[in-house]
Amino acid sequence: MATPSGAFAPASREAFEAAAARTAPGRRELLRIRWRSDDGRISVSGSGAVRVAPPDSVRVDVAIRLGVARGTLIVAGDSVRAEPEEMVGQLLPDRFALWAALGVIRMPDGGNGFELLEDGARRFWRVADAAGRSTTFEMRGDTLVGVTRERSGRPAGQLRLFRGSDGAVLRAQVTDYERRARFEVDIASRQPSEAFPSEVWRLRS
């Protein structure tokens, strides 16, 4: 993410939430993805599908190459369910980073301090919490470009988004410096969808 030029100024939660709302998904979509995950010990890759339902629901189904294993993550508002939980936790980013990888801003857990820096066409929102963590969102207009996270002043993670000529996300790269892990996803295709069946939002077990 580009380094902002200038100083952050205090901002309101309402202003941040309004900016975040403008990144929310506008329609139901079915995405086909290719993904790679590497934590320094194990590197795996595979394919999958992502179902997005406005305003705040997403289901991710991933399969490891050669049929080694499959996993499901369902996020509905603040509810997060995974199966198998341990494998999904190792492979996929957390709820906040998952949405950001789709170009959607969600309030970081515990966010209670808000600042804004405007640098020409770029806008940087910084959200802090009581645990000493800060999250900075880089935007151009109403479009999310990237995210960085710091904990007690030290880099904790970074997200980079790559978009096509139509503005849609084509690739997302998530680096977790604390876990020394990296997750990358390519969106191979996307298509609008009718309403998803109710069982989509339930785990098999």
Side-chain angles (χ1 to χ4, degrees):
M1 189 173 77
T3 303
S5 175
F8 281 88
S12 67
R13 171 186 288 268
E14 291 75 19
F16 172 78
E17 290 177 340
R22 291 192 287 272
T23 69
R27 64 178 185 177
R28 287 182 292 270
E29 285 189 314
L30 174 61
L31 314 181
R32 299 296 180 183
I33 63 172
R34 296 185 298 271
W35 60 272
R36 295 158 294 283
S37 180
D38 187 345
D39 65 1
R41 297 176 295 108
I42 301 175
S43 178
V44 293
S45 62
S47 59
V50 180
R51 293 169 174 84
V52 180
D56 60 2
S57 297
V58 62
R59 173 179 172 136
V60 183
D61 292 282
V62 294
I64 297 177
R65 287 181 65 185
L66 305 179
V68 173
R70 295 179 177 272
T72 299
L73 175 66
I74 298 175
V75 177
D78 292 329
S79 171
V80 181
R81 289 164 290 164
E83 183 183 66
E85 188 171 349
E86 183 177 356
M87 187 199 84
V88 171
Q90 290 175 339
L91 294 181
L92 295 178
D94 63 19
R95 173 182 65 90
F96 158 81
L98 174 64
W99 274 117
L102 298 174
V104 178
I105 295 177
R106 286 286 187 263
M107 176 74 72
D109 293 338
N112 60 8
F114 304 88
E115 296 179 302
L116 173 63
L117 187 161
E118 298 191 67
D119 180 13
R122 302 183 302 168
R123 183 176 301 138
F124 297 84
W125 286 95
R126 187 160 65 192
V127 181
D129 64 25
R133 182 177 61 182
S134 68
T135 306
T136 302
F137 302 87
E138 180 185 352
M139 303 182 71
R140 285 182 172 83
D142 292 331
T143 301
L144 180 64
V145 175
V147 184
T148 60
R149 277 187 145 176
E150 295 183 344
R151 191 187 304 273
S152 300
R154 301 182 61 182
Q158 182 179 55
L159 165 75
R160 297 179 64 198
L161 294 177
F162 302 85
R163 296 177 180 266
S165 58
D166 61 354
V169 174
L170 294 178
R171 173 179 291 181
Q173 295 176 338
V174 180
T175 304
D176 187 328
Y177 297 116
E178 295 177 323
R179 293 174 53 201
R180 298 182 180 178
R182 182 182 179 94
F183 178 81
E184 184 173 280
V185 59
D186 289 302
I187 298 176
S189 69
R190 62 173 71 228
Q191 61 187 58
S193 175
E194 299 295 329
F196 297 112
S198 59
E199 56 264 27
V200 162
W201 309 111
R202 296 195 295 266
L203 294 174
R204 291 185 296 273
S205 60

